[in-house]
Amino acid sequence: MSVSATAALWFLPFVLPICFYVAYTDLRDMRIPNQAVLLLAAVFILAGPFLLPWSAYGMGLVQMGAILVIGIILNAAGAVGAGDAKFAAAAAPFIPVGDLRLLIAIFAANLTAAFVTHRLAKHSPLRRLAPNWKSWDSGLKFPMGLSLGGTLAIYLMLGATFGS
């Protein structure tokens, strides 16, 4: 992995609660709060200079901007939700470009598992644990925050364990 194990380990306690919160709020309300996205970006902006070389930190900021622009375009085309686009942009600087293939694999597996689990729970007695979640009745829409937050959390946990 390209990510530094030390950086991933230091980012993890700050990022993990945000990822859980994003997954929960997207399941409950079908939206990712701006405060969570801003907090995630702030973690990178404030801690990044102490944990990463300047070149990696600068590249992370470039990635954040690039993914935000791509997300805005995809949102305008109706392909992704605005919260999903903003969260992806805030998460982007935590992932070095060298780990993009790994990230895509983690995301694909996580998205599949999250989608199947959500749909099974929706039609099972588990639904009674959270009967008012909007994601149960969202039709074909899926709370991507569950998978996006999970992917970032898994990536950083793997990075803390197997990073360079």
Side-chain angles (χ1 to χ4, degrees), residues 45-99:
I45 290 168
L46 297 174
F50 300 103
L51 300 173
L52 301 170
W54 280 105
S55 60
Y57 178 71
M59 183 55 133
L61 295 175
V62 169
Q63 288 171 210
M64 186 186 302
I67 297 300
L68 183 59
V69 169
I70 292 168
I72 289 169
I73 293 167
L74 289 173
N75 177 257
V80 298
D84 303 331
K86 291 181 282 187
F87 182 82
F94 292 95
I95 298 113
V97 175
D99 286 343

Coordinates of all heavy atoms in Angstrom, one line a residue, residues 45-99:
I45 N -7.0 18.6 6.4 CA -6.3 19.9 6.2 C -5.5 20.3 7.5 O -4.4 20.8 7.4 CB -7.4 21.0 5.9 CG1 -7.9 20.8 4.5 CG2 -6.8 22.4 6.1 CD1 -9.2 21.6 4.2
L46 N -6.0 19.9 8.7 CA -5.3 20.3 9.9 C -4.3 19.3 10.3 O -3.2 19.6 10.8 CB -6.3 20.4 11.0 CG -7.3 21.6 10.9 CD1 -8.4 21.6 12.0 CD2 -6.6 22.9 10.8
A47 N -4.5 18.0 10.1 CA -3.6 16.9 10.5 C -2.6 16.6 9.4 O -1.4 16.2 9.7 CB -4.3 15.7 11.0
G48 N -3.0 16.7 8.2 CA -2.2 16.3 7.0 C -0.8 16.9 7.0 O 0.2 16.1 6.8
P49 N -0.6 18.2 7.3 CA 0.8 18.7 7.3 C 1.7 18.1 8.3 O 3.0 18.1 8.1 CB 0.6 20.2 7.6 CG -0.8 20.5 7.2 CD -1.6 19.2 7.5
F50 N 1.2 17.5 9.4 CA 2.0 16.9 10.4 C 2.3 15.4 10.1 O 3.2 14.8 10.7 CB 1.3 17.0 11.8 CG 1.1 18.5 12.2 CD1 -0.1 19.0 12.1 CD2 2.2 19.2 12.6 CE1 -0.3 20.4 12.4 CE2 2.0 20.6 13.0 CZ 0.7 21.1 12.9
L51 N 1.4 14.8 9.3 CA 1.5 13.4 9.1 C 2.1 13.0 7.7 O 2.5 11.8 7.5 CB 0.1 12.8 9.2 CG -0.5 12.9 10.6 CD1 -1.9 12.4 10.6 CD2 0.3 12.2 11.7
L52 N 2.1 13.9 6.8 CA 2.4 13.6 5.4 C 3.5 14.5 4.9 O 3.7 15.6 5.3 CB 1.2 13.7 4.5 CG 0.0 12.9 4.8 CD1 -1.2 13.4 3.9 CD2 0.2 11.4 4.5
P53 N 4.3 14.0 3.9 CA 5.3 14.9 3.3 C 4.5 16.0 2.5 O 3.4 15.8 2.1 CB 6.0 14.0 2.3 CG 5.7 12.6 2.7 CD 4.4 12.6 3.5
W54 N 5.1 17.1 2.3 CA 4.4 18.2 1.7 C 3.9 17.9 0.3 O 2.8 18.3 -0.1 CB 5.3 19.5 1.6 CG 5.4 20.2 2.9 CD1 6.4 20.2 3.8 CD2 4.4 21.0 3.5 NE1 6.1 20.9 4.9 CE2 4.8 21.4 4.8 CE3 3.1 21.4 3.1 CZ2 4.1 22.3 5.6 CZ3 2.3 22.2 3.9 CH2 2.8 22.6 5.2
S55 N 4.6 17.1 -0.4 CA 4.2 16.7 -1.8 C 2.9 15.9 -1.7 O 2.0 16.1 -2.5 CB 5.3 15.9 -2.5 OG 5.6 14.7 -1.8
A56 N 2.8 14.9 -0.7 CA 1.6 14.1 -0.6 C 0.4 14.9 -0.1 O -0.7 14.7 -0.5 CB 1.9 12.9 0.4
Y57 N 0.7 15.9 0.8 CA -0.3 16.8 1.3 C -0.9 17.6 0.2 O -2.1 17.7 0.0 CB 0.3 17.6 2.5 CG -0.7 18.6 3.0 CD1 -1.8 18.2 3.8 CD2 -0.6 20.0 2.8 CE1 -2.7 19.0 4.4 CE2 -1.5 20.9 3.3 CZ -2.6 20.4 4.1 OH -3.5 21.3 4.6
G58 N 0.0 18.2 -0.6 CA -0.4 19.0 -1.7 C -1.2 18.3 -2.7 O -2.2 18.7 -3.2
M59 N -0.8 17.0 -3.0 CA -1.5 16.2 -4.0 C -2.9 15.8 -3.4 O -3.8 15.8 -4.2 CB -0.7 14.9 -4.2 CG -1.3 14.0 -5.3 SD -1.7 14.9 -6.8 CE -1.1 13.8 -8.0
G60 N -3.0 15.6 -2.1 CA -4.3 15.4 -1.5 C -5.2 16.5 -1.7 O -6.4 16.3 -2.0
L61 N -4.7 17.7 -1.5 CA -5.6 18.9 -1.7 C -6.0 19.0 -3.2 O -7.2 19.3 -3.5 CB -4.9 20.2 -1.3 CG -4.6 20.3 0.2 CD1 -3.8 21.5 0.5 CD2 -5.9 20.2 1.0
V62 N -5.1 18.7 -4.1 CA -5.5 18.7 -5.5 C -6.5 17.6 -5.8 O -7.5 17.9 -6.5 CB -4.2 18.4 -6.4 CG1 -4.6 18.2 -7.9 CG2 -3.3 19.6 -6.3
Q63 N -6.4 16.4 -5.2 CA -7.4 15.4 -5.4 C -8.7 15.8 -4.9 O -9.7 15.5 -5.5 CB -6.9 14.1 -4.7 CG -5.8 13.4 -5.3 CD -5.2 12.3 -4.4 OE1 -4.0 12.0 -4.5 NE2 -6.0 11.6 -3.6
M64 N -8.7 16.5 -3.7 CA -10.0 16.9 -3.2 C -10.7 17.8 -4.1 O -11.9 17.7 -4.4 CB -9.8 17.7 -1.8 CG -11.0 18.0 -1.1 SD -10.8 19.1 0.4 CE -9.8 18.1 1.4
G65 N -10.0 18.8 -4.7 CA -10.6 19.7 -5.7 C -11.1 19.0 -6.9 O -12.2 19.3 -7.4
A66 N -10.2 18.1 -7.4 CA -10.6 17.4 -8.7 C -11.8 16.5 -8.5 O -12.7 16.5 -9.3 CB -9.4 16.5 -9.1
I67 N -11.9 15.8 -7.4 CA -13.0 14.9 -7.1 C -14.3 15.8 -6.9 O -15.4 15.4 -7.2 CB -12.8 14.0 -6.0 CG1 -11.6 13.0 -6.3 CG2 -14.0 13.2 -5.6 CD1 -11.8 12.2 -7.5
L68 N -14.1 16.9 -6.3 CA -15.3 17.8 -6.0 C -15.9 18.3 -7.4 O -17.1 18.2 -7.6 CB -14.9 19.0 -5.2 CG -16.1 20.0 -4.8 CD1 -17.2 19.2 -4.1 CD2 -15.5 21.1 -4.0
V69 N -15.0 18.7 -8.3 CA -15.5 19.1 -9.6 C -16.1 17.9 -10.4 O -17.2 18.1 -10.9 CB -14.3 19.7 -10.5 CG1 -14.7 19.9 -11.9 CG2 -13.8 21.0 -9.9
I70 N -15.5 16.8 -10.3 CA -16.1 15.6 -11.0 C -17.5 15.3 -10.3 O -18.5 15.0 -11.0 CB -15.2 14.4 -10.9 CG1 -14.0 14.6 -11.8 CG2 -15.9 13.1 -11.3 CD1 -12.8 13.7 -11.6
G71 N -17.5 15.4 -9.0 CA -18.8 15.1 -8.3 C -19.9 16.1 -8.6 O -21.0 15.7 -8.7
I72 N -19.5 17.3 -8.7 CA -20.5 18.4 -9.1 C -21.1 18.0 -10.5 O -22.3 18.1 -10.7 CB -19.9 19.8 -9.1 CG1 -19.6 20.2 -7.6 CG2 -20.8 20.8 -9.8 CD1 -18.8 21.4 -7.5
I73 N -20.2 17.6 -11.4 CA -20.7 17.3 -12.8 C -21.6 16.1 -12.7 O -22.7 16.0 -13.3 CB -19.5 17.1 -13.7 CG1 -18.7 18.4 -13.9 CG2 -19.9 16.4 -15.0 CD1 -17.4 18.3 -14.6
L74 N -21.2 15.0 -12.0 CA -22.0 13.8 -11.9 C -23.3 14.1 -11.2 O -24.4 13.5 -11.5 CB -21.2 12.7 -11.1 CG -20.1 12.1 -11.9 CD1 -19.3 11.2 -11.0 CD2 -20.6 11.4 -13.1
N75 N -23.3 15.0 -10.2 CA -24.5 15.4 -9.5 C -25.5 16.1 -10.4 O -26.7 15.9 -10.5 CB -24.2 16.2 -8.2 CG -25.5 16.7 -7.6 OD1 -25.9 17.8 -7.7 ND2 -26.2 15.8 -6.9
A76 N -24.9 17.0 -11.2 CA -25.7 17.8 -12.2 C -26.4 16.8 -13.2 O -27.5 17.1 -13.7 CB -24.9 18.8 -12.9
A77 N -25.7 15.7 -13.5 CA -26.2 14.8 -14.5 C -27.1 13.8 -13.8 O -27.7 13.0 -14.5 CB -25.0 14.0 -15.1
G78 N -27.3 13.9 -12.5 CA -28.2 13.0 -11.8 C -27.6 11.6 -11.5 O -28.4 10.7 -11.1
A79 N -26.3 11.5 -11.6 CA -25.7 10.2 -11.4 C -25.4 9.9 -9.9 O -25.4 8.7 -9.5 CB -24.4 10.1 -12.2
V80 N -25.1 10.9 -9.2 CA -24.8 10.8 -7.7 C -25.5 11.9 -6.9 O -25.8 12.9 -7.5 CB -23.3 10.8 -7.4 CG1 -22.6 9.6 -8.1 CG2 -22.7 12.1 -7.8
G81 N -25.7 11.6 -5.7 CA -26.3 12.6 -4.8 C -25.3 13.7 -4.5 O -24.0 13.4 -4.5
A82 N -25.7 14.9 -4.1 CA -24.8 16.0 -3.7 C -23.9 15.6 -2.5 O -22.7 15.8 -2.5 CB -25.6 17.2 -3.4
G83 N -24.5 15.0 -1.5 CA -23.8 14.6 -0.3 C -22.7 13.5 -0.6 O -21.6 13.6 -0.1
D84 N -23.1 12.6 -1.5 CA -22.1 11.6 -1.9 C -21.0 12.2 -2.6 O -19.8 11.8 -2.3 CB -22.8 10.6 -2.8 CG -24.0 9.9 -2.2 OD1 -24.1 9.8 -1.0 OD2 -24.9 9.5 -3.0
A85 N -21.2 13.2 -3.5 CA -20.1 13.8 -4.2 C -19.2 14.6 -3.3 O -18.0 14.6 -3.4 CB -20.7 14.8 -5.3
K86 N -19.8 15.3 -2.3 CA -19.1 16.1 -1.4 C -18.3 15.2 -0.4 O -17.1 15.5 -0.1 CB -20.0 17.0 -0.5 CG -20.6 18.1 -1.4 CD -21.4 19.1 -0.6 CE -22.8 18.4 -0.3 NZ -23.7 19.3 0.3
F87 N -18.9 14.1 0.0 CA -18.1 13.2 0.9 C -17.0 12.5 0.1 O -15.9 12.4 0.7 CB -19.0 12.1 1.4 CG -18.3 11.1 2.4 CD1 -18.1 11.5 3.7 CD2 -17.8 9.9 1.9 CE1 -17.4 10.6 4.6 CE2 -17.1 9.1 2.8 CZ -16.9 9.4 4.1
A88 N -17.2 12.1 -1.1 CA -16.1 11.5 -1.9 C -14.9 12.5 -2.0 O -13.8 12.2 -2.0 CB -16.6 11.1 -3.3
A89 N -15.3 13.8 -2.2 CA -14.2 14.8 -2.4 C -13.4 15.0 -1.1 O -12.2 15.1 -1.1 CB -14.8 16.2 -2.8
A90 N -14.2 15.0 0.1 CA -13.5 15.1 1.4 C -12.7 13.9 1.7 O -11.7 14.0 2.4 CB -14.5 15.4 2.5
A91 N -13.1 12.7 1.2 CA -12.3 11.5 1.5 C -11.1 11.3 0.6 O -10.2 10.6 0.9 CB -13.3 10.3 1.3
A92 N -11.2 11.9 -0.6 CA -10.1 11.7 -1.6 C -8.7 12.0 -1.1 O -7.8 11.2 -1.5 CB -10.4 12.5 -2.8
P93 N -8.4 13.0 -0.4 CA -7.0 13.3 0.0 C -6.4 12.2 0.9 O -5.2 12.1 1.0 CB -7.1 14.6 0.6 CG -8.5 14.8 1.1 CD -9.3 14.1 0.1
F94 N -7.2 11.4 1.5 CA -6.7 10.4 2.4 C -6.1 9.2 1.6 O -5.5 8.3 2.2 CB -7.8 9.9 3.4 CG -8.3 10.9 4.4 CD1 -9.4 11.7 4.1 CD2 -7.6 11.1 5.6 CE1 -9.8 12.6 5.0 CE2 -8.0 12.0 6.5 CZ -9.1 12.8 6.2
I95 N -6.4 9.1 0.3 CA -6.0 8.0 -0.5 C -5.0 8.4 -1.5 O -5.3 9.1 -2.4 CB -7.2 7.3 -1.2 CG1 -8.2 6.8 -0.1 CG2 -6.8 6.2 -2.1 CD1 -9.5 7.5 -0.1
P96 N -3.7 7.9 -1.4 CA -2.7 8.2 -2.4 C -3.1 7.6 -3.7 O -3.7 6.6 -3.8 CB -1.4 7.6 -1.9 CG -1.7 7.3 -0.4 CD -3.1 7.2 -0.3
V97 N -2.7 8.3 -4.8 CA -3.1 7.8 -6.2 C -2.6 6.4 -6.4 O -3.3 5.6 -7.1 CB -2.5 8.8 -7.2 CG1 -2.7 8.3 -8.6 CG2 -3.1 10.2 -7.1
G98 N -1.5 6.0 -5.8 CA -0.9 4.7 -6.0 C -1.8 3.6 -5.5 O -1.7 2.4 -5.8
D99 N -2.8 3.9 -4.6 CA -3.7 2.9 -4.0 C -5.1 3.0 -4.7 O -6.0 2.4 -4.2 CB -3.9 3.2 -2.5 CG -2.7 2.7 -1.7 OD1 -1.8 2.0 -2.3 OD2 -2.5 3.2 -0.6

